[in-house]
Amino acid sequence: MSAFDAFPLGQPAFVTNVLDRAAHLRRDDEKLFALEQKPSSRAYVVYRDSLLVKREGDKVRALLSIDEALKCGANPGTIFLGLRDGAAMFGMGMPQAAAEKLVGREDYTVTELRGMAMQGAIPPEELSAIAMAKSMVGWHQRHGYCANCGARSAMKEGGWKRECPTCKAEHFPRTDPVVIMHVASGEKCLLGRQKHFPPGMYSCLAGFVEAAETIEDAVRREILEESGIRCTDVQYYMTQPWPYPSSLMIGCSARAVSEDIVVDHSELEDARWFTREEAALMLTRTHPDGLAGPHPFAIAHHLLGRWVHDKS
């Protein structure tokens, strides 16, 4: 199965959740400690934007036993992700020194998560739990001190809360909402590219939802700011958790009411209108000019693919 086959239309990465989050166990420290000691318990180990995996022939395994994770230098503090078929799943971080010690080893390696997922090296059904582990580990690494008084805070409730021992403030993981939009004008759609994109790649425009802003307003504002295009008829499609570092991509469509593009070059390198036929070729990587659309790993591919196949 190719990486493209792994993410059929409507099923981008990180959306297939196979875990029971079992939130009722998060406050039971004794039970969680006992679960960590069970041979059936497993962990995903995260280092920055990468994942610790074990090489097994020409394949890799991301789901490790607790002993495997600790022997590779993972931090002992675990985040309880939930249960899968009755077995406890945890997320663990890894310090830089431990990751560096794995360089050159043949049995374990630290590999960039996005690349592995896009290549189909990790089963799609595992990606949601991995995204949870990555988001939570990253949150703890960035929020070790109380935002209220500055004292060192402590991990609580299986990693789903930090508590300040000084002022007793409680801190919880946050998710940043991001709108990502497919904009059409009749048989044309608007796509843009950023400087860091691979050569020839175009994708849907996107941006963060601001304070006290509706999703619809964010869609209209971001499209106008980045491309100068005014839009209406904003419709919701689907969401995709996006652990870079911890966002929720809110997929929408909109209808353009203007067509004169004015690119904000501080945000985009280029923005263009593409016909439905061109978009279809870009999605299959067969465009005669070498242009390409977003990878099926990302929700942008599915927004564009839905429009390509919707002839109504």
Side-chain angles (χ1 to χ4, degrees), residues 191-193 197 200-204 270-272 274 282 291-294:
L191 300 175
R193 62 169 282 109
F197 282 3
M201 177 185 162
Y202 282 77
S203 187
C204 298
D270 188 29
R272 292 170 48 185
F274 293 90
M282 292 166 70
L291 301 180

Side-chain angles (χ1 to χ4, degrees), residues 287-298:
H287 194 284
D289 296 331
L291 301 180
H295 191 280
F297 169 84

Side-chain angles (χ1 to χ4, degrees), residues 5-310:
D5 295 328
F7 305 107
L9 194 61
Q11 296 180 42
F14 307 126
V15 301
T16 305
N17 182 19
V18 296
L19 294 187
D20 171 6
R21 294 187 179 230
H24 63 285
L25 295 175
R26 294 175 184 172
R27 296 186 181 182
D28 192 335
D29 291 342
E30 185 176 332
K31 179 67 173 178
L32 290 180
F33 181 77
L35 287 173
E36 284 187 50
Q37 313 310 309
K38 295 188 70 171
S40 60
S41 295
R42 294 291 182 268
Y44 293 108
V45 181
V46 176
Y47 173 66
R48 296 180 180 174
D49 285 341
S50 297
L51 193 67
L52 172 65
V53 296
K54 184 173 184 180
R55 292 193 179 103
E56 296 179 333
D58 59 351
K59 296 183 179 180
V60 296
R61 172 167 56 87
L63 192 57
L64 308 177
S65 70
I66 303 297
D67 283 344
E68 287 175 325
L70 292 175
K71 287 177 181 178
C72 287
N75 293 324
T78 56
I79 298 163
F80 178 62
L81 304 179
L83 303 174
R84 181 172 182 179
D85 299 326
M89 301 286 136
F90 294 92
M92 303 174 75
M94 171 173 271
Q96 181 177 344
E100 290 175 348
K101 288 182 179 180
L102 297 176
V103 175
R105 284 183 57 167
E106 296 183 357
D107 51 352
Y108 292 94
T109 187
V110 175
T111 305
E112 199 264 337
L113 171 60
R114 189 189 308 230
M116 284 193 296
M118 291 175 69
Q119 295 163 17
I122 299 176
E125 62 270 16
E126 291 192 52
L127 292 175
S128 178
I130 292 172
M132 195 189 314
K134 183 181 181 309
S135 292
M136 294 295 292
V137 167
W139 179 73
H140 282 287
Q141 290 174 342
R142 296 188 305 275
H143 294 82
Y145 294 87
C146 177
N148 186 52
C149 73
R152 180 75 182 181
S153 60
M155 182 188 295
K156 298 288 184 179
E157 296 187 11
W160 290 87
K161 181 174 81 171
R162 294 192 71 89
E163 188 176 276
C164 178
T166 302
C167 71
K168 307 305 179 184
E170 297 178 328
H171 306 279
F172 299 90
R174 60 174 292 170
T175 296
D176 297 316
V178 179
V179 287
I180 181 165
M181 302 74 67
H182 177 269
V183 180
S185 178
E187 290 295 300
K188 299 182 296 185
C189 70
L190 177 70
L191 300 175
R193 62 169 282 109
Q194 297 181 0
K195 292 181 180 179
H196 69 270
F197 282 3
M201 177 185 162
Y202 282 77
S203 187
C204 298
L205 275 57
F208 286 97
V209 180
E210 295 186 347
E213 186 175 44
T214 67
I215 292 171
E216 293 84 356
D217 282 345
V219 168
R220 289 187 287 263
R221 175 184 55 77
E222 284 289 343
I223 293 294
L224 180 62
E225 288 178 354
E226 295 187 359
S227 69
I229 301 298
R230 296 186 179 276
C231 295
T232 188
D233 296 342
V234 176
Q235 300 290 324
Y236 166 79
Y237 172 46
M238 67 177 298
T239 56
Q240 179 190 27
W242 191 250
Y244 296 98
S246 188
S247 296
L248 182 66
M249 307 299 290
I250 305 169
C252 297
S253 62
R255 179 173 61 87
V257 294
S258 65
E259 293 189 358
D260 293 332
I261 296 173
V262 180
V263 177
D264 178 357
H265 289 287
S266 67
E267 296 284 344
L268 299 174
E269 183 179 79
D270 188 29
R272 292 170 48 185
W273 291 105
F274 293 90
T275 66
R276 199 184 301 263
E277 290 73 21
E278 284 183 293
L281 294 172
M282 292 166 70
L283 289 177
T284 56
R285 305 298 198 271
T286 56
H287 194 284
D289 296 331
L291 301 180
H295 191 280
F297 169 84
I299 190 175
H301 174 97
H302 301 264
L303 282 164
L304 186 57
R306 185 179 69 146
W307 177 76
V308 164
H309 292 93
D310 181 10

